[in-house]
Amino acid sequence: MRHPVFARLYPRIAAAGEAAGAAEHRDELLAGVTGRVIEVGSGHGINFAHYPETVTEVVAIEPEPSLRARAEEAAREAPVPVTVIEGTAEQLPGEDEAFDVAVTSLVLCSVRDADAALREVRRVLRPGGELRFYEHIRAGQPGFVRYQKIVNVVWPLIAGGCQLVRATDVSISAAGFTVEKSRYFRFPAPGVPASPHVLGLARRAP
């Protein structure tokens, strides 16, 4: 899975987002995480520096070669052990019930099949395991959704397959998770088509 132009641009876009407040979002996303973690779609490893020392291992899955190479570099500087592996969200390279926590961070918008990805996340999580999610989503206001749909005609072509109109928050609940915390907000600015976000914690039912 190659997106060479997007792979070159995304680290710069992400760095600007970090400075604008995404770093605090990532801290919130990963606060209190413990045990063995699988991160789905790690990109260039921007989350790695935010993992607390209570994490024993992170297995980071990334299909895009250029981003994966940068993630391997970031893993060497991470405060916790990180192994970067080639793979896709729809076929995670992990055994059943092998992880305590799964992390998705601005990735379920761009996978080919978000429902299949969430089924895979559920498979590799132990019963009662956590899904930590930070995703941009379909807006709750019909007028903004119409705007998102118009922009979405070209958005995936320039944003690595990212889709603006996925109701990822709804999909998480439908995939067999109990959402325990969710915070909705606009970032980085209300008028940006990808600004509706959700950040939260869901738990795999037994």
Side-chain angles (χ1 to χ4, degrees):
M1 183 180 297
R2 293 179 179 273
H3 295 287
V5 175
F6 178 75
R8 287 198 299 271
L9 293 176
Y10 183 69
R12 300 178 188 177
I13 296 168
E18 291 285 284
E24 287 77 12
H25 299 160
R26 296 179 196 280
D27 284 339
E28 180 180 349
L29 172 71
L30 300 173
V33 169
T34 62
R36 192 166 187 242
V37 177
I38 184 167
E39 182 173 335
V40 182
S42 62
H44 62 298
I46 196 168
N47 279 333
F48 297 167
H50 297 269
Y51 278 102
E53 293 182 357
T54 48
V55 169
T56 56
E57 179 188 15
V58 176
V59 177
I61 312 302
E62 176 51 50
E64 209 290 324
S66 298
L67 291 174
R68 188 168 63 250
R70 295 191 65 158
E72 290 169 350
E73 294 176 6
R76 291 192 281 270
E77 304 297 326
V80 299
V82 178
T83 303
V84 180
I85 297 177
E86 180 181 2
T88 66
E90 297 88 349
Q91 291 184 306
L92 291 175
E95 297 179 358
D96 294 358
E97 302 181 0
F99 295 91
D100 302 296
V101 180
V103 173
T104 70
S105 174
L106 305 177
V107 66
L108 293 177
C109 58
S110 60
V111 300
R112 290 193 176 98
D113 187 336
D115 292 332
L118 286 165
R119 287 194 296 269
E120 276 290 273
V121 168
R122 189 181 188 282
R123 177 184 67 80
V124 300
L125 274 179
R126 63 170 175 80
E130 295 179 355
L131 167 60
R132 301 292 186 101
F133 55 92
Y134 170 36
E135 301 287 343
H136 75 78
I137 57 172
R138 178 178 179 146
Q141 300 78 26
F144 203 91
V145 173
R146 287 193 293 271
Y147 166 49
Q148 288 180 309
K149 287 181 177 179
I150 292 169
V151 177
N152 200 59
V153 174
V154 297
W155 188 269
L157 302 176
I158 61 175
C162 171
Q163 301 287 331
L164 292 170
V165 291
R166 285 186 177 170
T168 301
D169 50 341
V170 176
S171 297
I172 289 170
S173 295
F177 293 93
T178 300
V179 177
E180 295 186 354
K181 298 179 184 177
S182 57
R183 183 168 73 85
Y184 292 84
F185 56 96
R186 293 288 184 91
F187 177 82
V192 175
S195 63
H197 281 68
V198 64
L199 192 159
L201 182 158
R203 197 172 297 277
R204 182 198 145 165

